[in-house]
């Protein structure tokens, strides 16, 4: 579900007003973008850390708001910051020994009405098993609704690379799903 241009314009307006010190605009900016940031970081990392990573994203973004120029949408700019926050967290964790086992069920986010919990866990596990760059491109375009160009900007790579990663992610997901169905079916 792609945000329409008027929503992007509204969010950019809120970002510019927040940069000028408008507290109401800052609050509205956070409310308008918080869900997308949380979903993105929860898939790149895990749901158990998503609240902290989302908070860190907004801390960094608020400090950087005066430098937001509007060359990209505010949502794209913010998701670029979120991506850097997750990368920094991963680097930090790799420098330290693991502290706890992470269950696949920890990655469950919103369970759509009418869908079984088990199906959602399985879907999350399949997505989490994707190679990192494919998972990132897939989530940005298919879950958060960014255009391929915006996703390329977030990932700092060419648009064709995003298209390729999304196509390969779809293929990987279908193969993994079929293999799982063959095992359980």
């Amino acid at each position: 579900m792609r945000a329409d241009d008027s929503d992007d314009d509204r969010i950019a307006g809120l970002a510019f007003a927040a940069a000028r010190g408008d507290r109401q605009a800052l609050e509205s900016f956070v409310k308008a973008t918080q869900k997308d940031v949380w979903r993105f970081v929860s898939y790149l990392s895990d749901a158990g850390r998503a609240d902290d990573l989302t908070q860190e994203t907004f801390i960094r973004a608020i400090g950087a708001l005066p430098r937001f120029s509007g060359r990209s949408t505010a949502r794209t700019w913010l998701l670029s910051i979120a991506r850097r926050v997750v990368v920094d967290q991963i680097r930090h964790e790799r420098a330290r020994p693991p502290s706890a086992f992470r269950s696949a069920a920890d990655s469950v986010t919103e369970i759509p009405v009418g869908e079984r919990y088990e199906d959602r866990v399985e879907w999350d596990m399949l997505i989490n098993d994707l190679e990192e760059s494919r998972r990132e491109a897939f989530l940005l375009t298919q879950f958060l609704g960014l255009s391929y160009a915006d996703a390329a900007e977030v990932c700092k790579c060419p648009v064709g690379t995003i298209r390729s990663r999304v196509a390969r992610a779809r293929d990987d997901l279908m193969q993994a799903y079929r293999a799982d169905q063959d095992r359980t079916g």
Side-chain angles (χ1 to χ4, degrees):
M1 64 185 117
R2 169 81 175 116
D4 61 24
D5 290 338
S6 64
D7 193 42
D8 285 340
D9 292 343
R10 181 182 67 82
I11 291 171
L14 292 170
F16 286 125
R20 292 188 303 270
D22 183 334
R23 289 185 176 274
Q24 181 89 17
L26 178 60
E27 184 178 325
S28 295
F29 174 73
V30 171
K31 284 182 181 177
T33 57
Q34 188 171 15
K35 185 177 179 180
D36 284 346
V37 170
W38 190 93
R39 288 177 69 195
F40 185 55
V41 300
S42 73
Y43 271 107
L44 292 181
S45 179
D46 66 70
R49 294 185 182 119
D51 290 341
D52 291 338
L53 294 171
T54 299
Q55 182 177 3
E56 178 63 23
T57 297
F58 282 104
I59 288 170
R60 290 187 192 184
I62 290 166
L65 271 171
R67 295 186 303 277
F68 173 64
S69 65
R71 283 181 283 169
S72 62
T73 67
R75 188 182 319 267
T76 298
W77 173 79
L78 185 59
L79 292 173
S80 294
I81 293 171
R83 181 178 181 268
R84 284 191 298 273
V85 166
V86 172
V87 167
D88 290 348
Q89 179 66 29
I90 291 169
R91 284 184 187 137
H92 175 75
E93 288 172 0
R94 286 186 179 159
R96 303 177 66 163
S99 60
F101 175 75
R102 180 171 86 95
S103 165
D106 291 342
S107 67
V108 175
T109 55
E110 301 163 27
I111 301 169
V113 175
E115 189 173 323
R116 293 182 354 191
Y117 176 80
E118 294 82 8
D119 293 338
R120 183 62 186 172
V121 170
E122 181 179 350
W123 177 246
D124 284 343
M125 289 172 61
L126 292 174
I127 291 173
N128 285 332
D129 286 343
L130 288 172
E131 187 269 326
E132 184 177 345
S133 63
R134 292 178 185 179
R135 181 176 66 238
E136 190 175 66
F138 184 81
L139 292 170
L140 285 168
T141 59
Q142 308 306 302
F143 279 83
L144 297 179
L146 263 63
S147 68
Y148 286 102
D150 287 345
E153 189 171 328
V154 169
C155 295
K156 299 189 183 334
C157 67
V159 173
T161 301
I162 292 295
R163 291 184 193 284
S164 173
R165 288 175 182 172
V166 170
R168 287 188 176 118
R170 286 183 181 135
D171 289 344
D172 292 348
L173 287 170
M174 289 306 297
Q175 288 176 7
Y177 178 77
R178 286 184 190 120
D180 187 59
Q181 293 303 305
D182 289 344
R183 279 192 302 274
T184 60

